[in-house]
Amino acid sequence: MSGERETCDELTSASCIIRAVLNVRETEIPGVLIVEPSLLTDARGWFMEFFNASTFAAHGLPVEFAQDNQSLSKRDVVRGLHYQLERPQGKLVRCIRGSILDVAVDIRRSSPTFGRSVAVELSAENRLMLWIPPRFAHGFRTLSKEAEVLYKCTTLWHAASDRILLWNDPDLAIDWGIEAPTLSEKDAAGRPLRNAEIFES
């Protein structure tokens, strides 16, 4: 305990408080949010807080999640674009090893940003997280040799309503930075937006 006290005493009061700070900022699509933890460092290493119920609630983010997923992907893998028609999932995505280009697509037909996407680089180095609301499609491309991705979902996976948008649909015009990624058979058979089952609102 005394070691902890001495370490904190070496820092300013503001620096000690910073571990409870999560910076939440908007993207170009309302509701799609970037969550950036603040880092507290000392001679031992670093500490960060990546979830705080009060902060999340203040920004309209969920404070309860139903499922956690983790994946490992090799360079130039594209996963997605995935969504569920029933029990749509909100996802909080972070990359804990390597780096990815994380993509959210608005597939709510009545939305003013329908068909638009947000792409954010998430990495173990920048520690950013991306909040993808329910009724959005989600996917990512691995930028590093390997990447481990951890994401929290607001609902359980529902196989019967699982749907996939075509990753390179020209109507979406997502700049993945790659023409021939590694894809699963399911993802390669994704539907273009104009032929997909999507949300009316």
Side-chain angles (χ1 to χ4, degrees):
M1 292 297 291
S2 60
E4 291 289 330
R5 172 65 65 183
E6 290 167 5
T7 301
C8 196
D9 286 346
E10 293 172 0
L11 304 168
T12 66
S13 297
S15 296
C16 289
I17 294 170
I18 203 169
R19 59 186 165 181
V21 172
L22 284 166
N23 182 31
V24 180
R25 60 182 189 268
E26 294 277 355
T27 65
E28 53 266 39
I29 297 182
V32 179
L33 303 173
I34 295 171
V35 182
E36 182 177 13
S38 297
L39 212 61
L40 176 66
T41 61
D42 62 21
R44 301 167 299 171
W46 57 262
F47 172 91
M48 74 174 185
E49 183 179 88
F50 60 89
F51 173 77
N52 181 291
S54 295
T55 303
F56 272 46
H59 290 276
L61 289 161
V63 297
E64 293 185 1
F65 294 89
Q67 183 174 324
D68 283 5
N69 298 328
Q70 187 168 349
S71 68
L72 172 68
S73 303
K74 299 183 183 300
R75 188 189 302 276
D76 292 337
V77 164
V78 168
R79 294 181 184 263
L81 298 153
H82 301 152
Y83 62 100
Q84 294 183 175
L85 277 179
E86 297 176 43
R87 307 174 201 171
Q89 293 180 315
K91 297 177 181 177
L92 182 67
V93 184
R94 57 190 295 232
C95 183
I96 60 174
R97 179 160 69 95
S99 60
I100 64 170
L101 183 70
D102 204 43
V103 177
V105 182
D106 188 349
I107 54 173
R108 303 166 299 174
R109 197 180 300 278
S110 63
S111 169
T113 54
F114 172 66
R116 287 176 52 189
S117 61
V118 170
V120 178
E121 182 174 344
L122 309 180
S123 70
E125 184 175 356
N126 68 25
R127 301 178 182 87
L128 297 179
M129 294 178 280
L130 188 65
W131 164 247
I132 298 110
R135 297 178 175 83
F136 276 67
H138 169 252
F140 67 85
R141 173 200 166 190
T142 306
L143 301 173
S144 51
K145 183 178 179 181
E146 290 186 336
E148 275 188 80
V149 176
L150 184 66
Y151 54 102
K152 304 179 77 67
C153 303
T154 55
T155 63
L156 298 175
W157 183 62
H158 186 237
S161 67
D162 196 33
R163 299 290 186 274
I164 302 171
L165 285 184
L166 185 63
W167 73 280
N168 62 347
D169 179 358
D171 288 339
L172 298 178
I174 298 169
D175 183 8
W176 294 96
I178 189 172
E179 294 184 1
T182 301
L183 299 163
S184 69
E185 288 186 14
K186 284 178 61 177
D187 288 353
R191 290 188 179 188
L193 181 63
R194 64 180 62 188
N195 297 330
E197 299 173 90
I198 54 174
F199 304 100
E200 296 303 315
S201 60

